[in-house]
Structure formats: structure tokens, C-alpha cells
């Protein structure tokens, strides 16, 4: 069994339970794929005069959610969403809040987008990641490999076998990775599931 | 007499790098106690040790100047992203250029000269045979950005930290000889984030304290500290970027070659406030010395033996010494009897 | 380690408000260091009985550091420095200043700057605004004062900011509804406050009530350090007893008594002046020690902190 102890590397994000901010004037809820029950209940708790629910999913399934009055707006890809971001944030103020749900790289990519719009970290709330998927930053070729769940994983750019560390960059929404067998080509540790 | 820059030696392939007797004598030996532990080892960066000491001037230019500049040119040619600067750091780049040009031309008039007439500046670097007329503040009058331009003419790596919210952010730099960290990856991080992988120091409160000190550094009162690690072969560029090229060298250390192959790598780190931008300049001036050369000073060898022997395992692993640490301790033991 | 002092000559003194004088300073036989918007210098004044050290913001556009301009308000509860500046300093006099230091720089990536200034608290913003205008970033200033005492630089500000300058003269019963101003600020706004503590607290309180994150609120507590009651410091190693008057800081008193305490910021952030405490009830006013260290009471930062008890013993 893996221990549940938080990583010793302090750049690894920790996720605190979300509390709905009752002063907000504009709440935006964004989910990767379907909205979880937990997120639905947060959505219902928000008494905000303006609130929006969004799902970003490549899936064709219906995203209607019981109990959430308006059907969430659906986007196929993050890049589609990016186009509508300026009009979404236009009415937002220093009082507004964003709530994110999904995998860790998904949430941090959106985090970067909202930061670029002028939001500050305290306005952006993240659920604990829904999966152990990580994005890897290869320090040798600088490419980012998505959807990795194991350490010792091949880089999608240069093909090297990478060790996945816990050193995290918010800007890259990815973890620091380096060739696992650079010192000794025959010394490749066993593949392990990431936590 | 300070030894003049020697002809170019290499930090890769055939590793022709060597230290003269004078360079060995003035080496910044970092172990002040028999046990090495992380601490907030910051002091004011004022001259000490007299003429020709590495602490005589703001930036120490030594016999390896030409070699280090040649090495840096190779690294940047291969990967220009080893130098980066975010949009809001442009002014800090000019601060950096000014600080370096003024201090080098004042401290080493035989090599560098600067003439200023308001914004019209003329810079000469006789060591690299460079002459440049430019308008201060106008990037189009320089062949490249001020950080890139001047970074290629000064020994040491450089980071420019933006200061906001009582924190520092890694928003610009030129890092061509790091002790295994990547500027491209750490870009934009806060002080505590980029120090994320360092073991033991966070919980000891070292980084919180250090940060409070750094954010309060005023103009004209630079501070310094020493940091160290070990490197196999006289390799300057021990970056993650090039790790596939140098990682295997860690397996080549043997009891027979340890004295020649393993180098103590010391970083003289200088922190200085930039006046126009309020950025903090972080200089990492790296010195390499083989164990063999350390052993020419029995006191050093003895002290280093003790420091190596008592080094906590998390530090051994973090610094990447796991494969050959015991060989270093065994070799140095003969000087501590 | 303390930064090298700079000798400056006072070349001009002008009244810019009933209780505020502006001083122009130039370097004596040297050029002055460059500085960044929001910087201050510590001015050292050699009074008859004691040396005063007060921090003043630099007023001029940071592009031109050929001179420094500072503005001094005559304080009612003065520690003495402002009285000295107003009554004793004449054109041609020489003072000494520290190199500029900046603990209140604007956030360059902000999309809008929203400023609340109270009285002489306008001073740090005088160097912000020209740079904001050059960068073409939106800037809005709410300027509160008592016209019978303060309210300097209204004309310049009017020219610079035009429709984004809002003036409130309390002597004409004009008040600023802070909450209303904060209510609809767009994303990317950063808020700066300089003025009396009441103003800082008022803005912070309004922000909390509105759910505005405090990380966008930046303040320079401009009021001179609150004086405290006098107390005595005993030096454990020598038995020497040093009296700290209500107008002095503990650090100044120790220095005057001939004790050299390393110091840097003199503002309770750098940690340089840290002294071990043997005994005594402390009034910690620094930002260096953690809360737990403060409650432990084993260390004190004499540059800002004081004693609640009549006597404390320092282990130095
Ligand atoms: C703003 C200035 C500074 C910069 C840019 C900087 C940068 C770095 C970086 C990039 C690393 C490597 C982290 C990694 O493994 O990825 C590091 C390591 C470290 N830093 Fe800093 N640092 C600064 C100031 C300081 C100060 C003032 C201290 C004082 C205690 C300090 C203590 C350390 C220590 C103990 C390590 C581990 C080094 C080792 O064991 O080899 N740093 N620093
Ligand atoms: S001098 Fe900086 S904390 Fe006292």
C-alpha cells in the first residue's frame, strides 16, 4: 500500500476542501467531463446572483444534471473554451469565484487561463483531482506528455523513459521529469502507479 | 597577483580544465564546521580576505574567464531557452547590464571599460574583443536583450527575481551551469516553489527566514552565501537538460580515480537589489576543484572528510551522490587520522 | 550590516499644504542611486539631543533620479523628526539618507491600479502615477484629506489623472464610500492604500465584507510607529541598564548607549537586529518572528518592538 502522507516536495499542490464563498457576485463552475455529485451540491449551495456551469468533454453523452436547473454549457476541448473565455470573464469582478473539477493538469491549465485574465489564486477553487493522471514536463526536450498514471513513462517528445517527480510547475501544469536510466541504461526501476 | 585569464580549457569531452596553484589557494572552501547542515548562511557581500581574494570585488573574474565564456556560448547555441525573460522583466535586464558594466569597469579597468554620456553608452571588453555603442534602455541598439548580451560576458549564472507580495518569482535568468535544476521548468515559480525539492530545509524554517531577509535587501547592500555539491569530471553544465549526456559519469568513479574524477563544486551566491526595477539579482558564481587539489591543503581534506562522513542520507540522495559518496569518504579518510 | 549613508543637500523647501513641506535633496559630490516607484529613504537628522530617523517616500518620477523629493507632514504626535524637518532644516543644510528601499512597489502585471490615499499618504503614489501613465495602464485615485492641513499636489494629480481622480476633503464634509468603490472592480485590479491606520483598516474591512481576496490589497502603514510607554532594558552580560523613552525605538536607545546591534531594515522584516530575551513581557511589532516565536518570547526585534513590562533583560 502507498502511504497517504503528503509529498515531501513542497511545490506539489495540496487541495483543501472547497467552501462556497457567500459574498461572491459571480460563480463559475467548470468540470472536466460530467459534473460530480459533490460539485452539483456546491453549485446548488451557491446563492450567487450570476452562476454558470460548464463542462468540457469530448464525450457525446448528455451532460444534463438532475437538480441543476440550467443545463451546463458544453465544450469539446479546452481550446474551444478558450475562445469564449473573454466574454465569460467580462462581467466578473474581484468578488467573483471559479470552481474547478477534473484531473490535475486540466484544473491547472484553466487556472493559468484565469490568471492571465487577471484573477488571483484565492478566487480559483479546486476540488481534489478526480484521477491520478499527471502531465509530465520532460526537462530534456521540454515536451509535455499528458494522461500519465505511472512513474517510469515514455516521453511523447523524445521517447526517453522518464522518472516522474513530485516537483510541480503551475505554469506548465506539469511535473518535473528526467530520464530514469541516464546513469545506467540497464537500471530501470519497476513501473509504479502514481498517487 | 590575480592570475590573468588563461587560454580556453574545456568543461566537456576531453575536460582540459585545471586550477593553478593560485586558484587552489583562493578557492572558497565551504565547510566551516565538522558537520554540514543547512542554515541561513547569509552574510553581507563586502570585501574580505584582502587583495586577490575571491571576495575582493563584487564579481570575481579569474583565470577561467575565457573558458567559461566559451562554454556558455556552446550551451546557448545548442539551446537558447537556457536564457529567458518574461515581459515585465525588461527593465530588470537593463539594471543587470548596468550593474555588471559599472562594477566590472571599476574593478578591472585593465579588461573592461565603460563610457557614459547620458543614454549614449560605449562598452569595451578587451578579453572577448567586444566594442559596443548603444543607447541605454533601447534594446534595438544591442545585438540581443541586455540580459543575454551581458550574461555572455560575466562569469556566473544569473537569475532575476521579481519581487511582489513579499515573495520572489523566478521570472528571468541565464542558467548555463546549474547544479541540476532547470530554469525553463522553474520559470515563474515563487521562492518556496522552486526550492520544493530541497529536503529538510523547509521544515527547519530556513526558507521562510531566508525569504524575509532577501525581500528586505536594500540597494547597495548585497549579501552572499556559499552552497556546494559534488560533480563528476570538471563539467560546468550539470543541468537536467543535458542529464542524458552526463548522468552515466556518476557510474565511472572508482577507488583508483576518485581523487581526479570527483570535483567539489562551490557556488558563491550573491544577492543584490536592482535599483530601477526593484528586482533581486541572484548570481551563482561556480568554482570547481578536484579532490586531489583539495588534498594539497591537509586542513581542508580533514574537514571535508568529517563533513562528508556525517552528511545526512537525504542530502546525499538529493545532491545525487548516492553512487559514489562512500568512495569520497574512503579517499578522504587518509587525511583525518 | 547597514547600507552606506548618502550625504544630501537640501536645495529647496516649499509649502505644498498647510502642514506639509516638500524638500528637494541632491547628492553632495555624488549622483544619487536610481530608484523604483514606491521607494522610500530613511532620513537621518542630527537633532540637539538625539538623532531622528524617519522614512519618507520619494515623490519624483523614478525616471529622473538627479534629485530626490520628499514631503513631510508636521505630526501632532511626532517622534520629533517632523518637527525638526519643519522648524530646523533650512535650504543649504546637509542631511544624510539611506539608499532607497522599496517595500511598496506596484504590481506591474495589474490590469488596473486602484489607489486610496489619506493626507500625506499621497506621497508613495506620486512616483507610481507617471509610470502608470507611460505604460497606459488604467489608474484610479481616491484622495482623502483635511483641506485645512493636508491635500498636497491636487493640481498635478488633476492634470495627470483627469476623470479618474476623486477628491474628498473632510473639512468640507466630503466622504468616500469605500465599499461602493470596491464593489464592482474588474478582474486584475490591484488596490493600494497609504494613509492613517484607520483608512487601511477601513479598506481591508470593506474588502473582507465584499469577499475580495486580501492578496489584491496592498498597504504601506504610513503613520509613524506608535509610541509606547517608556521602559528599561538591562543587558545581561554587563548589567548595563538602558532607558527607552516613549519616542525612541529600543534599537535607537541601545545604539545611543553605545551598543552596536546589527540591523538592516529597521522596520521589523529583515531579522538582523534579533536579540535574545532573558526576561520580560514583550510588545512584538515585527513581521519577522512567527506567531509561535512571539508567544514564546525568547527573541525580540528591537527596531520596532517594545516592552509591556517596566523592565526587560536582554541576553546580549
Ligand atoms: C533568490 C535567490 C535564490 C535562488 C534563485 C535560489 C535558487 C535555488 C535553486 C533553483 C535550487 C535548486 C532546487 C532544486 O533542486 O530544484 C536551490 C537550492 C537550494 N537553496 Fe536556493 N536560491 C536562492 C536563495 C537561497 C537562500 C538565501 C538560501 C539560504 C538558506 C537558499 C538555500 C538553498 C538550499 C539549502 C538549497 C539546496 C542546495 C543543495 O543542497 O545542493 N537558497 N536554490
Ligand atoms: S533591523 Fe530588520 S528586523 Fe530589526
Amino acid at each position: 500500500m502507498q502511504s497517504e502522507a503528503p509529498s515531501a516536495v513542497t511545490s506539489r499542490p495540496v487541495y483543501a476542501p472547497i467552501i462556497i464563498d457567500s459574498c461572491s457576485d459571480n460563480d463559475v463552475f467548470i468540470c472536466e467531463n460530467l459534473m460530480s455529485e459533490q460539485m452539483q451540491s456546491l453549485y446548488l449551495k451557491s446563492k450567487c446572483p450570476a452562476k454558470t456551469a460548464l463542462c468540457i468533454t469530448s464525450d457525446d453523452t448528455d451532460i444534463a444534471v438532475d437538480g441543476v436547473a440550467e443545463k451546463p454549457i458544453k465544450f469539446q476541448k479546452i481550446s474551444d473554451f478558450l475562445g469564449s473565455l473573454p466574454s465569460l470573464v467580462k462581467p466578473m469582478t474581484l468578488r467573483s469565484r471559479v470552481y474547478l473539477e477534473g484531473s490535475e493538469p486540466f484544473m491547472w491549465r484553466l487556472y493559468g487561463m484565469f490568471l492571465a485574465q487577471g484573477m488571483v489564486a484565492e478566487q480559483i477553487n479546486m476540488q481534489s483531482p478526480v484521477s491520478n493522471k499527471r502531465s509530465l514536463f520532460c526537462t530534456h526536450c521540454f515536451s509535455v506528455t499528458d494522461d500519465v498514471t505511472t512513474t517510469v513513462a515514455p516521453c511523447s517528445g523524445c521517447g526517453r523513459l522518464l522518472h516522474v517527480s513530485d516537483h510541480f510547475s503551475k505554469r506548465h501544469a506539469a511535473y518535473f521529469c528526467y530520464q530514469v536510466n541516464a546513469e545506467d541504461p540497464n537500471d530501470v526501476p519497476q513501473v509504479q502507479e502514481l498517487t | 597577483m590575480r592570475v590573468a585569464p588563461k587560454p580556453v580549457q574545456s568543461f566537456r569531452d576531453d575536460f582540459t580544465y585545471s586550477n593553478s596553484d593560485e586558484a587552489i589557494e583562493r578557492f572558497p572552501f565551504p565547510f566551516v564546521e565538522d558537520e554540514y547542515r543547512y542554515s541561513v548562511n547569509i552574510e553581507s557581500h563586502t570585501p574580505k580576505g584582502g587583495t586577490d581574494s575571491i571576495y575582493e570585488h563584487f564579481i570575481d573574474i579569474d583565470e577561467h574567464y575565457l573558458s567559461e565564456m566559451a562554454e556558455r556560448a556552446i550551451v546557448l547555441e545548442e539551446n537558447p531557452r537556457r536564457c529567458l525573460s518574461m515581459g515585465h522583466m525588461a527593465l530588470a535586464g537593463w539594471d543587470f547590464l548596468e550593474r555588471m558594466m559599472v562594477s566590472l569597469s571599476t574593478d578591472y579597468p585593465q579588461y573592461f571599460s565603460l563610457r557614459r554620456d547620458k543614454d549614449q553608452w560605449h562598452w569595451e571588453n578587451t578579453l572577448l574583443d567586444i566594442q559596443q555603442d548603444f543607447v541605454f534602455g533601447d534594446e534595438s541598439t544591442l545585438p540581443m536583450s541586455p540580459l543575454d548580451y551581458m550574461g555572455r560576458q560575466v562569469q556566473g549564472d544569473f537569475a532575476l527575481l521579481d519581487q511582489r507580495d513579499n515573495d520572489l518569482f523566478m521570472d528571468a535568468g541565464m542558467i548555463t551551469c546549474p547544479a541540476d535544476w532547470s530554469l525553463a521548468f522553474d520559470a515563474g515559480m515563487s521562492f518556496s516553489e522552486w526550492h520544493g525539492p530541497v529536503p529538510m530545509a523547509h521544515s527547519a524554517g530556513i526558507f521562510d527566514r531566508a525569504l524575509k531577509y532577501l525581500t528586505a535587501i536594500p540597494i547597495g547592500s548585497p549579501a552572499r552565501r556559499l552552497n556546494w555539491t559534488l560533480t563528476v569530471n570538471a563539467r560546468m553544465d550539470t543541468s537536467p537538460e543535458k542529464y542524458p549526456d552526463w548522468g552515466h559519469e556518476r557510474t565511472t568513479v572508482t577507488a583508483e580515480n576518485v581523487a581526479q574524477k570527483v570535483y567539489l563544486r562551490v557556488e558563491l551566491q550573491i544577492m543584490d537589489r536592482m535599483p530601477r526595477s526593484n528586482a533581486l539579482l541572484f548570481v551563482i558564481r561556480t568554482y570547481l576543484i578536484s579532490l586531489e587539489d583539495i588534498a594539497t591543503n591537509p586542513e581542508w581534506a580533514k574537514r571535508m572528510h568529517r563533513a562528508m562522513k556525517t552528511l545526512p542520507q537525504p542530502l546525499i540522495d538529493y545532491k545525487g551522490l548516492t553512487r559514489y559518496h562512500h568512495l569520497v569518504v574512503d579517499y578522504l579518510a587518509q587525511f583525518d587520522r | 550590516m547597514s547600507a552606506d549613508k548618502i550625504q544630501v543637500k537640501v536645495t529647496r523647501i516649499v509649502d505644498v499644504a498647510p502642514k506639509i513641506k516638500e524638500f528637494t535633496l541632491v547628492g553632495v559630490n555624488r549622483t544619487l542611486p536610481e530608484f523604483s516607484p514606491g521607494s522610500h529613504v530613511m532620513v537621518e537628522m542630527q537633532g540637539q539631543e538625539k538623532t531622528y530617523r524617519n522614512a519618507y517616500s520619494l515623490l519624483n518620477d523614478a525616471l529622473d533620479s538627479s534629485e530626490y523629493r520628499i514631503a513631510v507632514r508636521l505630526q501632532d504626535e511626532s517622534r520629533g523628526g517632523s518637527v525638526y524637518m519643519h522648524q530646523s532644516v533650512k535650504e543649504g543644510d546637509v542631511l544624510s539618507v539611506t539608499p532607497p528601499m522599496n517595500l511598496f512597489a506596484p504590481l506591474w502585471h495589474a490590469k488596473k491600479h486602484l489607489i486610496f490615499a489619506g493626507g500625506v499618504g499621497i506621497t508613495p503614489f506620486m512616483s507610481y502615477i507617471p509610470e502608470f501613465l507611460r505604460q497606459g495602464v488604467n489608474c484610479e485615485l481616491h484622495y482623502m484629506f483635511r483641506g485645512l492641513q493636508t491635500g498636497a499636489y491636487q493640481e498635478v494629480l488633476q492634470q495627470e489623472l483627469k476623470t479618474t481622480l476623486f477628491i474628498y476633503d473632510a473639512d468640507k464634509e466630503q466622504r468616500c464610500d469605500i465599499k461602493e468603490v470596491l464593489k464592482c472592480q474588474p478582474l486584475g485590479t490591484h488596490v493600494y492604500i497609504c494613509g492613517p491606520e484607520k483608512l487601511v483598516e477601513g479598506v481591508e474591512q470593506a474588502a473582507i465584507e465584499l469577499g475580495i481576496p486580501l492578496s489584491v490589497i496592498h498597504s504601506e502603514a504610513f503613520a509613524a510607529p506608535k509610541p509606547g510607554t517608556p521602559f528599561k532594558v538591562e543587558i545581561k552580560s554587563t548589567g548595563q541598564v538602558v532607558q527607552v523613552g516613549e519616542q525612541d525605538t529600543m534599537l535607537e536607545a541601545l545604539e545611543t548607549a553605545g551598543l552596536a546591534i546589527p540591523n538592516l531594515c529597521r522596520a521589523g522584516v529583515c531579522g538582523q537586529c534579533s536579540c535574545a530575551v532573558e526576561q520580560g513581557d514583550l510588545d512584538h511589532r515585527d513581521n519577522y518572528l512567527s506567531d509561535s516565536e512571539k508567544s514564546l518570547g525568547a527573541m525580540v526585534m528591537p527596531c520596532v518592538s517594545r516592552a509591556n513590562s517596566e523592565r526587560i533583560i536582554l541576553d546580549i
Side-chain angles (χ1 to χ4, degrees):
Chain A
M1 283 295 291
Q2 289 285 331
S3 82
E4 292 288 309
S7 168
V9 177
T10 52
S11 51
R12 175 138 201 221
V14 282
Y15 302 88
I18 294 186
I19 303 161
I20 289 284
D21 197 308
S22 56
C23 310
S24 170
D25 61 355
N26 195 332
D27 282 347
V28 175
F29 296 80
I30 306 180
C31 304
E32 187 181 27
N33 302 321
L34 291 186
M35 208 184 224
S36 72
E37 268 175 37
Q38 205 184 354
M39 198 69 159
Q40 290 174 39
S41 91
L42 285 176
Y43 179 89
L44 292 172
K45 261 195 210 128
S46 157
K47 297 281 173 283
C48 194
K51 58 179 177 178
T52 319
L54 293 167
C55 289
I56 300 181
T57 173
S58 49
D59 219 300
D60 285 333
T61 46
D62 187 17
I63 54 168
V65 211
D66 296 339
V68 176
E70 313 89 291
K71 190 168 163 172
I73 306 166
K74 180 171 163 174
F75 294 92
Q76 293 282 328
K77 292 203 255 359
I78 288 194
S79 50
D80 298 346
F81 167 70
L82 193 54
S84 67
L85 186 59
S87 58
L88 180 72
V89 299
K90 193 137 189 249
M92 296 180 98
T93 72
L94 291 180
R95 307 168 60 191
S96 310
R97 295 290 185 275
V98 170
Y99 299 89
L100 302 175
E101 176 179 73
S103 66
E104 193 168 55
F106 171 84
M107 293 192 291
W108 287 100
R109 242 160 248 175
L110 285 163
Y111 173 90
M113 292 174 186
F114 280 100
L115 240 47
Q117 298 292 330
M119 259 197 179
V120 292
E122 292 93 321
Q123 292 179 276
I124 307 171
N125 301 282
M126 298 184 201
Q127 296 268 31
S128 278
V130 296
S131 71
N132 62 346
K133 277 184 196 164
R134 297 194 192 186
S135 289
L136 315 188
F137 182 91
C138 173
T139 47
H140 316 313
C141 74
F142 294 175
S143 24
V144 172
T145 307
D146 290 326
D147 297 338
V148 177
T149 58
T150 58
T151 175
V152 185
C155 169
S156 60
C158 63
R160 291 185 175 95
L161 283 180
L162 298 180
H163 167 82
V164 182
S165 82
D166 279 350
H167 187 24
F168 183 75
S169 158
K170 295 175 178 168
R171 186 181 163 86
H172 297 296
Y175 287 88
F176 182 90
C177 298
Y178 55 87
Q179 186 181 344
V180 73
N181 58 343
E183 302 192 2
D184 176 356
N186 300 317
D187 184 4
V188 181
Q190 258 196 332
V191 175
Q192 278 193 332
E193 195 69 11
L194 288 166
T195 54
Chain B
M1 253 284 295
R2 185 179 284 259
V3 180
K6 299 188 290 198
V8 174
Q9 296 179 322
S10 64
F11 295 101
R12 50 175 74 214
D13 306 324
D14 56 350
F15 297 106
T16 58
Y17 171 87
S18 67
N19 280 306
S20 67
D21 291 347
E22 291 83 354
I24 295 172
E25 199 182 327
R26 68 202 292 279
F27 191 85
F29 187 73
F31 302 109
V32 288
E33 286 173 67
D34 285 347
E35 274 192 22
Y36 176 78
R37 292 293 181 272
Y38 288 147
S39 65
V40 186
N41 55 337
I42 309 178
E43 65 174 346
S44 143
H45 185 42
T46 42
K48 74 169 181 190
T51 314
D52 297 340
S53 130
I54 69 153
Y55 303 113
E56 184 184 4
H57 298 306
F58 178 64
I59 294 286
D60 178 40
I61 298 298
D62 71 5
E63 63 182 25
H64 305 299
Y65 180 82
L66 294 174
S67 308
E68 289 184 29
M69 295 306 100
E71 166 69 16
R72 168 159 301 160
I74 302 173
V75 174
L76 289 169
E77 168 81 35
E78 213 172 67
N79 187 353
R81 288 173 71 187
R82 301 290 289 273
C83 175
L84 68 81
S85 178
M86 297 183 190
H88 58 280
M89 298 304 282
L91 187 58
W94 287 105
D95 267 331
F96 167 76
L97 172 138
E98 176 177 33
R99 182 67 165 114
M100 291 303 164
M101 286 188 175
V102 170
S103 75
L104 290 182
S105 58
T106 310
D107 295 338
Y108 308 94
Q110 69 276 38
Y111 302 140
F112 308 100
S113 84
L114 176 66
R115 277 204 317 274
R116 291 186 279 182
D117 181 12
K118 296 206 176 72
D119 291 352
Q120 302 288 326
W121 291 30
H122 178 79
W123 167 249
E124 271 185 50
N125 175 343
T126 56
L127 291 173
L128 294 178
D129 197 17
I130 291 174
Q131 296 179 19
Q132 182 76 41
D133 283 303
F134 65 100
V135 179
F136 186 85
D138 180 354
E139 196 170 315
S140 69
T141 60
L142 279 179
M144 52 193 99
S145 80
L147 171 62
D148 202 354
Y149 178 78
M150 205 52 205
R152 291 166 188 262
Q153 301 184 47
V154 189
Q155 282 176 277
D157 271 350
F158 313 99
L160 283 165
L161 299 320
D162 191 26
Q163 182 162 330
R164 44 183 203 266
D165 299 335
N166 297 317
D167 206 338
L168 296 166
F169 294 86
M170 183 88 71
D171 289 352
M174 172 182 278
I175 303 293
T176 65
C177 50
D180 208 3
W181 63 279
S182 163
L183 175 65
F185 184 75
D186 285 358
M189 285 189 191
S190 69
F191 189 77
S192 127
E193 286 170 353
W194 80 62
H195 280 118
V198 181
M200 299 168 91
H202 290 272
S203 53
I206 284 178
F207 291 124
D208 292 341
R209 259 166 247 265
L211 178 60
K212 280 181 182 147
Y213 182 98
L214 296 181
T215 52
I217 289 182
I219 296 168
S221 297
R224 69 173 166 241
R225 67 181 289 268
L226 294 180
N227 187 46
W228 69 273
T229 187
L230 302 181
T231 297
V232 180
N233 295 329
R235 184 180 287 280
M236 268 299 203
D237 185 15
T238 49
S239 59
E241 281 83 347
K242 303 302 286 179
Y243 176 61
D245 292 359
W246 58 265
H248 69 92
E249 293 175 352
R250 285 179 172 164
T251 62
T252 62
V253 183
T254 62
E256 289 69 44
N257 67 16
V258 60
Q260 296 81 39
K261 240 190 183 343
V262 173
Y263 282 74
L264 173 61
R265 178 189 194 99
V266 175
E267 298 177 347
L268 165 58
Q269 305 178 338
I270 303 161
M271 292 140 268
D272 190 28
R273 178 70 56 200
M274 297 289 97
R276 299 166 198 265
S277 61
N278 200 40
L280 192 73
L281 167 65
F282 186 65
V283 179
I284 311 160
R285 175 73 171 82
T286 296
Y287 297 82
L288 288 168
I289 187 171
S290 66
L291 295 188
E292 189 172 42
D293 285 346
I294 285 192
T296 61
N297 182 333
E299 278 308 307
W300 284 358
K302 179 168 150 190
R303 175 54 73 67
M304 185 163 171
H305 173 247
R306 295 178 182 189
M308 289 301 117
K309 208 170 129 182
T310 56
L311 195 62
Q313 190 64 39
L315 264 66
I316 297 177
D317 296 336
Y318 168 69
K319 288 175 184 273
L321 319 181
T322 319
R323 286 183 197 270
Y324 61 90
H325 172 257
H326 63 285
L327 294 171
V328 172
V329 175
D330 289 350
Y331 167 72
L332 291 171
Q334 60 184 298
F335 306 104
D336 190 14
R337 291 209 176 103
Chain C
M1 174 185 73
S2 109
D4 290 341
K5 304 250 166 55
I6 302 166
Q7 297 293 109
V8 291
K9 190 158 123 186
V10 180
T11 55
R12 199 158 13 101
I13 304 178
V14 282
D15 294 321
V16 288
K19 286 199 169 188
I20 303 179
K21 282 187 196 295
E22 180 191 289
F23 298 78
T24 302
L25 314 172
V26 300
V28 176
N29 300 324
R30 60 162 289 170
T31 55
L32 297 170
E34 305 286 342
F35 67 96
S36 51
S39 299
H40 69 264
V41 293
M42 193 81 69
V43 179
E44 199 174 285
M45 297 151 263
Q46 208 57 57
Q48 295 237 296
E49 272 142 45
K50 61 173 278 188
T51 305
Y52 302 105
R53 292 183 192 85
N54 286 11
Y56 296 109
S57 299
L58 297 180
L59 295 168
N60 39 314
D61 185 346
L63 270 197
D64 178 12
S65 64
S66 60
E67 56 183 34
Y68 290 165
R69 286 189 292 120
I70 58 172
V72 180
R73 184 204 198 283
L74 187 60
Q75 299 290 348
D76 306 326
E77 267 181 70
S78 173
R79 287 164 68 231
S82 74
V83 177
Y84 183 88
M85 287 297 284
H86 270 251
Q87 293 171 2
S88 306
V89 175
K90 301 277 173 291
E91 289 180 0
D93 284 1
V94 171
L95 299 169
S96 90
V97 301
T98 58
M101 170 133 170
N102 199 339
L103 297 175
F104 196 46
L107 281 92
W108 297 115
H109 62 271
K111 295 187 192 297
K112 174 180 175 181
H113 304 281
L114 175 64
I115 300 173
F116 293 96
V120 73
I122 191 65
T123 52
F125 305 121
M126 298 301 292
S127 62
Y128 279 23
I129 293 167
E131 188 57 34
F132 291 162
L133 294 178
R134 274 193 291 275
Q135 297 187 2
V137 192
N138 198 340
C139 168
E140 182 178 313
L141 169 62
H142 295 265
Y143 185 15
M144 290 151 253
F145 51 81
R146 307 194 73 95
L148 299 177
Q149 301 178 355
T150 58
Y153 306 118
Q154 292 178 55
E155 271 172 40
V156 197
L157 292 166
Q158 189 68 60
Q159 279 168 16
E160 289 177 326
L161 295 172
K162 306 192 174 69
T163 58
T164 59
L165 172 67
F166 300 88
I167 282 182
Y168 312 87
D169 183 348
D171 286 334
K172 296 185 185 155
E173 301 303 321
Q174 297 163 340
R175 302 264 177 242
C176 173
D177 185 343
I178 292 170
K179 210 162 167 180
E180 199 54 38
V181 173
L182 285 176
K183 212 163 138 190
C184 292
Q185 291 298 331
L187 289 186
T189 305
H190 279 265
V191 182
Y192 310 88
I193 322 159
C194 184
E197 216 157 292
K198 238 173 46 205
L199 175 65
V200 178
E201 284 165 10
V203 176
E204 284 174 354
Q205 188 54 37
I208 290 169
E209 285 166 20
L210 290 166
I212 294 175
L214 288 181
S215 73
V216 304
I217 313 281
H218 314 277
S219 65
E220 178 152 73
F222 134 83
K226 285 177 290 188
T229 46
F231 61 100
K232 289 192 173 69
V233 182
E234 184 182 322
I235 311 301
K236 191 185 168 197
S237 56
T238 60
Q240 189 182 357
V241 176
V242 177
Q243 174 73 36
V244 184
E246 67 183 292
Q247 308 286 346
D248 312 314
T249 68
M250 196 187 332
L251 182 61
E252 283 167 351
L254 293 170
E255 285 171 343
T256 308
L259 288 148
I261 311 284
N263 67 85
L264 186 58
C265 67
R266 304 182 81 93
V269 296
C270 77
Q272 283 294 292
C273 66
S274 157
C275 293
V277 180
E278 175 79 12
Q279 185 190 318
D281 181 9
L282 302 164
D283 174 11
H284 292 286
R285 296 178 177 186
D286 64 282
N287 296 312
Y288 176 76
L289 296 172
S290 65
D291 288 346
S292 58
E293 286 168 322
K294 284 180 185 169
S295 57
L296 210 62
M299 281 201 295
V300 68
M301 301 292 146
C303 61
V304 289
S305 297
R306 308 186 62 87
N308 291 324
S309 49
E310 267 173 38
R311 188 187 186 94
I312 61 169
I313 305 177
L314 293 186
D315 187 4
I316 50 173

